[in-house]
Amino acid sequence: MQYHVSASATDVALDALERILQVVSSSKRPAIALPTGKTPMPLYEQMALLSNDVKASLAAVNWFALDEFLCKDIDHESSFRYFLESRFLRTVNLPPSALCSLSAVTDAPDVEAKAYEERIAAAGGLDLAVLGIGLNGHIGFNEPGTPLDSRTGVRQLTEKSRKANAYLFGDDLDRTPTSAITMGIGTIMSARRIILLATGQSKVPAIASLLSLQSVTPDFPASVLLDHPDAHILCDRAAMGLEV
Ligand code: GLP
């Protein structure tokens, strides 16, 4: 696991974009998992600035959403699907069909999860997983305690994670879902390359915990990256607790 420290969140986004484009150009039909959240917003803003030719090259990718809320009566505008449609697909001129995602409203989440694993496998496995990190070290929506070999499935959300996501539900914690469906830790670890983005002061405790860990523990899911052969943590100075 390697750390790459940039001056700012924009520089982290540019670094991430360069790594994504490297994967895009190195394979005819790569598969890439994308995260939602505040951290990757600058990445999608940078993607919007790409030339039309480069944007066109993104059409060759099998894009997968990393995770989704699970909530029967969710407003589409609060879903991760909508987040990626509006902040990623639209800005790079890709049609809705370019992104595979998990249903937030499914009646059969286990069937949905199994089918997602099959779609990833049919795409040849993930060439790249782009991740953020939760305040408690979660990756995707794999909360502390999730088995390290878990595959795509349902997770109950901690209060901390619900509070961190309440901004998508008008800051109303009562409306913020209590469960989610996510690629598993094992699914993420099967990706041939992983980049995890962390920016801003709020990530200082999470990155400090990650830096202090010598071995993998389910108590801090992101620690699993210690065991991945090609994992990169892209941080800005603020997330490292350095002077900016
Ligand atoms: C969310 C998502 C994660 C995301 C993380 C950090 O709950 N499930 O995929 O990486 O938490 O989000 P943010 O970037 O908003 O801090």
Side-chain angles (χ1 to χ4, degrees), residues 36-39 66-67 80 132-133 138 140-141 165 203:
T36 51
K38 293 177 181 166
T39 311
L66 189 62
D67 52 8
F80 282 174
I133 183 168
H138 75 227
F141 260 136
N165 281 284
K203 300 291 162 147

mmCIF file of all heavy atoms in Angstrom, residues 36-39 66-67 80 132-133 138 140-141 165 203, ligand 1:
data_model
loop_
_atom_site.group_PDB
_atom_site.id
_atom_site.type_symbol
_atom_site.label_atom_id
_atom_site.label_comp_id
_atom_site.label_asym_id
_atom_site.label_seq_id
_atom_site.Cartn_x
_atom_site.Cartn_y
_atom_site.Cartn_z
ATOM 1 N N THR A 36 -19.289 7.306 -4.512
ATOM 2 C CA THR A 36 -20.028 8.556 -4.344
ATOM 3 C C THR A 36 -19.432 9.258 -3.124
ATOM 4 O O THR A 36 -18.436 8.817 -2.576
ATOM 5 C CB THR A 36 -21.518 8.268 -4.101
ATOM 6 O OG1 THR A 36 -21.580 7.315 -3.051
ATOM 7 C CG2 THR A 36 -22.171 7.704 -5.328
ATOM 8 N N GLY A 37 -20.068 10.334 -2.709
ATOM 9 C CA GLY A 37 -19.590 11.041 -1.522
ATOM 10 C C GLY A 37 -19.008 12.397 -1.881
ATOM 11 O O GLY A 37 -18.880 12.740 -3.062
ATOM 12 N N LYS A 38 -18.661 13.147 -0.838
ATOM 13 C CA LYS A 38 -18.118 14.490 -1.073
ATOM 14 C C LYS A 38 -16.698 14.421 -1.636
ATOM 15 O O LYS A 38 -16.308 15.256 -2.442
ATOM 16 C CB LYS A 38 -18.120 15.273 0.245
ATOM 17 C CG LYS A 38 -19.538 15.574 0.733
ATOM 18 C CD LYS A 38 -19.538 16.282 2.068
ATOM 19 C CE LYS A 38 -20.981 16.534 2.516
ATOM 20 N NZ LYS A 38 -21.089 16.905 3.929
ATOM 21 N N THR A 39 -15.944 13.407 -1.219
ATOM 22 C CA THR A 39 -14.539 13.326 -1.630
ATOM 23 C C THR A 39 -14.361 13.249 -3.149
ATOM 24 O O THR A 39 -13.520 13.971 -3.688
ATOM 25 C CB THR A 39 -13.850 12.121 -0.953
ATOM 26 O OG1 THR A 39 -14.154 12.158 0.440
ATOM 27 C CG2 THR A 39 -12.350 12.151 -1.157
ATOM 28 N N LEU A 66 -20.077 1.586 -6.708
ATOM 29 C CA LEU A 66 -19.531 0.825 -5.575
ATOM 30 C C LEU A 66 -20.626 0.363 -4.612
ATOM 31 O O LEU A 66 -20.575 -0.747 -4.085
ATOM 32 C CB LEU A 66 -18.565 1.761 -4.842
ATOM 33 C CG LEU A 66 -17.672 1.226 -3.753
ATOM 34 C CD1 LEU A 66 -16.711 0.180 -4.294
ATOM 35 C CD2 LEU A 66 -16.899 2.376 -3.115
ATOM 36 N N ASP A 67 -21.611 1.220 -4.384
ATOM 37 C CA ASP A 67 -22.609 0.899 -3.355
ATOM 38 C C ASP A 67 -23.882 1.708 -3.567
ATOM 39 O O ASP A 67 -23.951 2.561 -4.470
ATOM 40 C CB ASP A 67 -22.046 1.113 -1.938
ATOM 41 C CG ASP A 67 -21.419 2.485 -1.733
ATOM 42 O OD1 ASP A 67 -21.539 3.353 -2.625
ATOM 43 O OD2 ASP A 67 -20.808 2.709 -0.674
ATOM 44 N N PHE A 80 -27.510 6.990 -4.685
ATOM 45 C CA PHE A 80 -26.157 7.051 -5.250
ATOM 46 C C PHE A 80 -26.220 6.947 -6.772
ATOM 47 O O PHE A 80 -25.383 7.478 -7.470
ATOM 48 C CB PHE A 80 -25.289 5.931 -4.674
ATOM 49 C CG PHE A 80 -24.787 6.209 -3.267
ATOM 50 C CD1 PHE A 80 -24.094 5.229 -2.572
ATOM 51 C CD2 PHE A 80 -24.983 7.429 -2.650
ATOM 52 C CE1 PHE A 80 -23.613 5.467 -1.290
ATOM 53 C CE2 PHE A 80 -24.508 7.682 -1.370
ATOM 54 C CZ PHE A 80 -23.814 6.699 -0.684
ATOM 55 N N GLY A 132 -13.575 5.888 -1.498
ATOM 56 C CA GLY A 132 -13.406 6.898 -0.472
ATOM 57 C C GLY A 132 -13.199 6.143 0.835
ATOM 58 O O GLY A 132 -13.063 4.911 0.845
ATOM 59 N N ILE A 133 -13.218 6.858 1.936
ATOM 60 C CA ILE A 133 -13.095 6.188 3.239
ATOM 61 C C ILE A 133 -14.072 6.840 4.214
ATOM 62 O O ILE A 133 -14.170 8.075 4.269
ATOM 63 C CB ILE A 133 -11.640 6.222 3.769
ATOM 64 C CG1 ILE A 133 -11.514 5.440 5.094
ATOM 65 C CG2 ILE A 133 -11.109 7.645 3.913
ATOM 66 C CD1 ILE A 133 -10.068 5.185 5.530
ATOM 67 N N HIS A 138 -14.760 2.656 6.997
ATOM 68 C CA HIS A 138 -15.491 1.807 6.052
ATOM 69 C C HIS A 138 -15.093 2.098 4.610
ATOM 70 O O HIS A 138 -14.702 3.217 4.269
ATOM 71 C CB HIS A 138 -17.015 1.868 6.269
ATOM 72 C CG HIS A 138 -17.724 3.089 5.800
ATOM 73 N ND1 HIS A 138 -18.646 3.759 6.576
ATOM 74 C CD2 HIS A 138 -17.686 3.772 4.622
ATOM 75 C CE1 HIS A 138 -19.134 4.775 5.891
ATOM 76 N NE2 HIS A 138 -18.573 4.807 4.710
ATOM 77 N N GLY A 140 -16.680 1.341 0.592
ATOM 78 C CA GLY A 140 -18.039 1.061 0.131
ATOM 79 C C GLY A 140 -18.928 1.345 1.330
ATOM 80 O O GLY A 140 -18.776 2.365 1.998
ATOM 81 N N PHE A 141 -19.842 0.422 1.630
ATOM 82 C CA PHE A 141 -20.608 0.568 2.879
ATOM 83 C C PHE A 141 -20.295 -0.597 3.811
ATOM 84 O O PHE A 141 -21.143 -1.043 4.582
ATOM 85 C CB PHE A 141 -22.107 0.642 2.593
ATOM 86 C CG PHE A 141 -22.657 2.041 2.601
ATOM 87 C CD1 PHE A 141 -23.533 2.467 1.611
ATOM 88 C CD2 PHE A 141 -22.320 2.941 3.607
ATOM 89 C CE1 PHE A 141 -24.060 3.767 1.616
ATOM 90 C CE2 PHE A 141 -22.840 4.230 3.620
ATOM 91 C CZ PHE A 141 -23.705 4.639 2.618
ATOM 92 N N ASN A 165 -24.069 10.780 5.844
ATOM 93 C CA ASN A 165 -24.807 10.761 4.572
ATOM 94 C C ASN A 165 -26.118 11.534 4.611
ATOM 95 O O ASN A 165 -26.817 11.613 3.595
ATOM 96 C CB ASN A 165 -25.082 9.311 4.160
ATOM 97 C CG ASN A 165 -23.861 8.675 3.529
ATOM 98 O OD1 ASN A 165 -23.550 8.951 2.372
ATOM 99 N ND2 ASN A 165 -23.147 7.871 4.291
ATOM 100 N N LYS A 203 -10.876 13.900 7.537
ATOM 101 C CA LYS A 203 -10.337 12.542 7.325
ATOM 102 C C LYS A 203 -9.061 12.293 8.134
ATOM 103 O O LYS A 203 -8.491 11.197 8.061
ATOM 104 C CB LYS A 203 -10.068 12.305 5.840
ATOM 105 C CG LYS A 203 -11.304 12.419 4.965
ATOM 106 C CD LYS A 203 -12.311 11.287 5.176
ATOM 107 C CE LYS A 203 -13.666 11.664 4.642
ATOM 108 N NZ LYS A 203 -14.467 10.644 4.109
HETATM 109 C C1 GLP B 1 -20.062 6.903 2.145
HETATM 110 C C2 GLP B 1 -19.975 5.870 1.020
HETATM 111 C C3 GLP B 1 -18.558 5.541 0.711
HETATM 112 C C4 GLP B 1 -17.762 6.825 0.758
HETATM 113 C C5 GLP B 1 -17.645 7.260 2.186
HETATM 114 C C6 GLP B 1 -16.984 8.607 2.365
HETATM 115 O O1 GLP B 1 -20.889 6.533 3.153
HETATM 116 N N1 GLP B 1 -20.663 4.659 1.262
HETATM 117 O O2 GLP B 1 -18.463 4.871 -0.538
HETATM 118 O O3 GLP B 1 -16.483 6.593 0.260
HETATM 119 O O4 GLP B 1 -18.870 7.152 2.848
HETATM 120 O O5 GLP B 1 -17.826 9.641 1.957
HETATM 121 P P1 GLP B 1 -17.339 11.139 1.833
HETATM 122 O O6 GLP B 1 -16.436 11.188 0.660
HETATM 123 O O7 GLP B 1 -18.583 11.938 1.637
HETATM 124 O O8 GLP B 1 -16.617 11.473 3.081
#
